[in-house]
Amino acid sequence: MTDLIEMSGIGKAFAGVVALRDASLAIRPGEVHAIIGQNGAGKSTLIKILTGVYRRDEGSVQMAGEDLTISTPREAQDAGISTIYQELSLVPLRSVTENVMMGYEPRTRLGLIDWKAAHARTREILARFGVEIDVTRQLGRYSTAIQQLVAIARAVSLDARLVIMDEATSSLDDQEIETLFSVVRELKKSGVAVLYISHFLSELYEICDRVTIMRDGRTVATHEVAQTTRLGLVSEMLGRDASEIAAAGQTALSGERSKPGATLLEVDGLGTRTGLRDVSFEIRKGEIVGLGGLLGSGRTESARAIFGLDKLLRGEVRHHAAPVIDTPARAIALGMGFLTEDRKADGIIPHMSVRENITLALLPRLRRFGAVDRARERELVQGYIDALQIKTSGMEQPIRELSGGNQQKVLLARWLALEPEILILDEPTRGVDVGAKFEIQSIIRNQVAKGLAVLLISSEFEELVEGADRIVVLQDGYSVTELQNPGITESALIGAMVHHHERLAS
Amino acid sequence: MSMASTVCSQFRFDPARHGALAALVVILCFNLIVTPNFLHTQTLFVNISQVATIAIVAMGMTIVIATGGIDLSVGAIMALSGALAPLIFLSPFGLANPGLGLAAAIIIPILAALCCGIFNGVMVSYFNVQPIVATLIFFISGRGLAQVLTNGNLQTISNPSFSYLGTGKILGLPFQGWLVLAIALVLWWLVTRSMFGRQLLAVGGNERAARLSGIPVERVKIGAYVICAGLSGLAGLIVVAINSASDAARIGSLMELDAIAAAVVGGTLLQGGRAPIFGAILGAVIIQLVKYTLLANGVADEVALIAKAAIIIGAVYLQQGRRD
């Protein structure tokens, strides 16, 4: 059988930094093919070459035995390759229909867009995913999960021969993931191949047929999934011995627990227009406080309110050194940092260098006669690049050229550089590979041991249960209960998150 | 020696970055061959004094565009400050105190321009008005205000000290040329070295991330519009000084388009995040030289407008063409 896609001998360098060398990938028609590797292993680059976002420096790409020359994403779509990116690339202010149909709208005889047909077709496509929503409403009004499914629906609607899913499940809940998987199986039945990129190995065993492992810009191996073990995959991915990894185990957040110190911040009865109704908890020196809850329970909203981003309707945030926190600038001056969930929209400044991105929040302290103290800046930045092992060709490299995990490390460095007292981490390891995740978690743990207080939001129960000293459970904008470690189990957390809690009538 | 060799080895021709420079060389060569008397000092002086106003305003425009905004009011602000200046030193006060009158005739118009800039900035940052709409307010009303102030009359002036702004020379070169250079150096320092510059580019590069990092987004934006308006006010004074006359209907007319064009040709991204100050000057020089070339070779003024449009298209094309 000829392979649907065959990439071989692919090489690519950015500004002299080699991202890929002799990478290869073969996908058979109608198979679900996984690709795994650490950050910077070259997964994203390889896929972007396949989809026409980047040009390859060397190597060949064939589709069904014929040479494929794709130089724009549109050409890739026309060739039958559709991509769902890790960071959503939809237009939130336009309707669901417009997003699904964009660029391929049905036309009336006059050449205008046939809206009736467009809406009907969109409804039909979404129905295949079990999504029934008002397609005429703005996409941005729906949850991230719905938006993700819309992105997938769009890809599928383009009659693709290959659908690429880059971290497609990272913001879906269990039920939505099940829906997605049934769609993947459906696609497979109808002969469409799926290229699946995920950091969750369990997903790989659930739906993938074969897996390609990449490391340091090279393709290491391709296996039938059924013939692999988790430990084997991870060891190939990290290039380490299997036994060594088995011994390490666990997530790096768990470790020595020190006694929490003085109270730094008290949150009392918060209510906001963004959906918080009554949230209370406190954060003490040297502890990790987890925020648990389902999508929409108010975790990120609580973080935003504390950091002075959203106005409080009720309640108050009492900082030990100041009565009011009304702007991020004030929060930062008080020694708080906020690593946000959405790296692209709220985090990186794409044109700026790694150096400028790291010192962004620190600028007021680098001021010397109105100018930035460049010598001190460089020294500081180099220190964090070394300490966090950020993979970059140098501090002047634009951050947009770094892999997702390294961008995340830069943003972490931005906040650590402040030497904060309280650090809010919203999904700190989302979309980050196993190795970098481990590194990020141990960096955080080290800082906590030195007295940093962390407010941790994570959709990964494991990270929360093992990492947090206490978990405040949120439900529909209320803080309903608090779990205390040691002793929290995943099932206890899930139970607390979904169980109906009686609220005091007010 | 080693410095020079690294610079050489790093240099590679990149159309997006060096396209404007190459265009300048082409235009210069063309003129040397075709245009009569091109290598004449008189030609140099004419071009420097013409390009100075465009360059000054284009630098301000570059700062505003770096925040992701745009300022359509620059031409109208030039008219306003240009109308105010002669009103002040031709007033009874100005005639009675020539020295103070002259100072007031320079300071007050620029203060007025700065106020316009604060208005623009506040509209954009605190009231969230689209920059194109916010600055449209002065685009329309500023010139009207200037004409009302002067009753629509042409004011002729003969004040040698004031005229120095337009006709003075230092080391044999026009004063405006030196002024452009001085402003460029200050702005270059501001953009690449100062706190404000870093904040400016961060706001333009990703406003939400900048806000989250504690950058005072509103103040930075207001600062950008104030700088742009102040430079426009100064440019208005220079135009009046060159012409020894002030016609509120004509000063700075269509300047907003020249300034935007110069900024774009100079490599400013319209979506913000970058502020090449010397690029703006280069853009202004190219636009001025194209105008001059066509004029000196007997091509009608209207055709020059079309040529200008072609340059902008070329510049935007080169910007878009940048990819890995």
Side-chain angles (χ1 to χ4, degrees), chain B residues 142-218:
Chain B
R143 192 174 298 279
L145 201 60
Q147 284 172 293
V148 169
L149 284 173
T150 58
N151 289 323
N153 295 332
L154 179 82
Q155 309 172 77
T156 52
I157 49 174
S158 55
N159 181 323
S161 312
F162 186 76
S163 295
Y164 186 83
L165 262 182
T167 55
K169 289 201 169 55
I170 297 175
L171 297 178
L173 286 172
F175 173 71
Q176 303 103 295
W178 295 107
L179 194 60
V180 168
L181 213 58
I183 292 171
L185 286 174
V186 171
L187 290 182
W188 176 82
W189 179 86
L190 198 70
V191 167
T192 60
R193 295 285 186 269
S194 76
M195 278 272 294
F196 174 77
R198 192 70 71 78
Q199 294 175 332
L200 180 85
L201 298 181
V203 168
N206 184 347
E207 187 172 329
R208 287 173 62 171
R211 194 182 298 278
L212 268 159
S213 302
I215 288 174
V217 175
E218 285 79 17

Side-chain angles (χ1 to χ4, degrees), chain A residues 52-53 71 307 309 328-329 332 344-349 351-352 355 359-360 363 367 370 372 374 377 414-415, chain B residues 189 192-196 198-199 201-202 205-206 208-215 269 271-274 323-324:
Chain A
V53 178
S71 50
F307 203 62
L309 278 160
I332 290 168
K344 196 164 144 194
D346 295 326
I348 64 166
I349 308 232
H351 286 309
M352 284 189 154
R355 168 176 58 85
T359 54
L360 196 66
L363 282 179
R367 163 181 287 189
V372 180
R374 292 169 44 107
E377 180 182 31
R414 177 189 289 173
W415 296 114
Chain B
W189 179 86
T192 60
R193 295 285 186 269
S194 76
M195 278 272 294
F196 174 77
R198 192 70 71 78
Q199 294 175 332
L201 298 181
N206 184 347
R208 287 173 62 171
R211 194 182 298 278
L212 268 159
S213 302
I215 288 174
L269 291 179
Q271 62 264 39
R274 207 174 290 172
R323 57 183 296 175
D324 291 296

Side-chain angles (χ1 to χ4, degrees), chain A residues 107-352:
Chain A
R107 303 277 166 170
T108 64
R109 259 173 299 166
L110 292 174
L112 302 173
I113 294 173
D114 185 347
W115 285 112
K116 227 179 197 172
H119 289 318
R121 176 128 175 72
T122 305
R123 267 185 221 110
E124 182 195 312
I125 293 165
L126 289 175
R128 276 174 72 184
F129 295 81
V131 177
E132 287 185 19
I133 53 172
D134 180 358
V135 295
T136 59
R137 281 181 71 191
Q138 277 180 12
L139 181 69
R141 291 172 179 251
Y142 291 105
S143 67
T144 321
I146 295 276
Q147 293 188 31
Q148 189 101 39
L149 285 173
V150 168
I152 293 163
R154 172 178 162 80
V156 173
S157 77
L158 299 174
D159 294 326
R161 287 204 279 169
L162 172 67
V163 174
I164 301 171
M165 296 186 177
D166 192 351
E167 287 289 318
T169 58
S170 56
S171 50
L172 303 188
D173 68 28
D174 286 349
Q175 204 189 335
E176 288 159 337
I177 290 174
E178 257 326 299
T179 314
L180 176 70
F181 284 178
S182 61
V183 171
V184 169
R185 290 187 192 105
E186 196 71 24
L187 288 174
K188 191 177 151 178
K189 248 188 253 164
S190 52
V192 178
V194 176
L195 181 58
Y196 197 86
I197 301 134
S198 174
H199 294 308
F200 300 112
L201 293 184
S202 55
E203 293 181 356
L204 204 138
Y205 282 99
E206 200 162 336
I207 54 160
C208 296
D209 302 316
R210 293 200 304 157
V211 54
T212 291
I213 302 142
M214 294 190 70
R215 190 174 70 226
D216 297 331
R218 287 192 179 84
T219 299
V220 181
T222 300
H223 301 295
E224 298 284 338
V225 171
Q227 291 164 8
T228 63
T229 62
R230 271 172 200 246
L231 202 57
L233 285 181
V234 174
S235 66
E236 274 188 293
M237 205 159 86
L238 302 179
R240 285 189 218 160
D241 220 30
S243 54
E244 186 189 326
I245 299 168
Q250 294 203 323
T251 65
L253 275 179
S254 55
E256 295 275 307
R257 290 181 198 289
S258 53
K259 265 223 172 97
T263 302
L264 298 176
L265 193 80
E266 262 181 286
V267 174
D268 191 7
L270 291 196
T272 64
R273 227 181 285 282
T274 53
L276 297 187
R277 292 176 198 161
D278 187 355
V279 173
S280 307
F281 58 89
E282 60 173 29
I283 303 172
R284 290 182 299 237
K285 198 170 158 63
E287 69 169 353
I288 299 180
V289 179
L291 281 185
L294 299 169
L295 265 177
S297 59
R299 293 169 299 173
T300 298
E301 291 76 5
S302 299
R304 288 179 57 92
I306 294 170
F307 203 62
L309 278 160
D310 294 329
K311 235 175 111 179
L312 302 183
L313 295 178
R314 286 182 300 280
E316 56 182 348
V317 176
R318 281 189 295 269
H319 187 271
H320 69 94
V324 188
I325 298 173
D326 50 0
T327 61
R330 182 124 186 82
I332 290 168
L334 288 169
M336 291 170 70
F338 184 9
L339 184 69
T340 51
E341 180 184 10
D342 193 335
R343 206 157 50 221
K344 196 164 144 194
D346 295 326
I348 64 166
I349 308 232
H351 286 309
M352 284 189 154

Side-chain angles (χ1 to χ4, degrees), chain A residues 41-110:
Chain A
K43 294 168 301 193
S44 299
T45 314
L46 189 65
I47 286 154
K48 283 181 175 163
I49 285 171
L50 180 59
T51 55
V53 178
Y54 296 148
R55 276 178 211 165
R56 60 181 183 271
D57 295 342
E58 53 189 8
S60 73
V61 181
Q62 291 192 321
M63 189 166 192
E66 283 170 33
D67 275 334
L68 195 62
T69 48
I70 282 175
S71 50
T72 67
R74 172 74 190 226
E75 280 172 30
Q77 286 184 357
D78 290 342
I81 301 174
S82 283
T83 315
I84 297 135
Y85 282 111
Q86 193 170 349
E87 284 107 3
L88 287 173
S89 33
L90 296 171
V91 191
L93 289 177
R94 307 307 301 177
S95 73
V96 175
T97 298
E98 284 170 289
N99 272 290
V100 173
M101 291 287 151
M102 201 188 312
Y104 300 89
E105 297 88 350
R107 303 277 166 170
T108 64
R109 259 173 299 166
L110 292 174

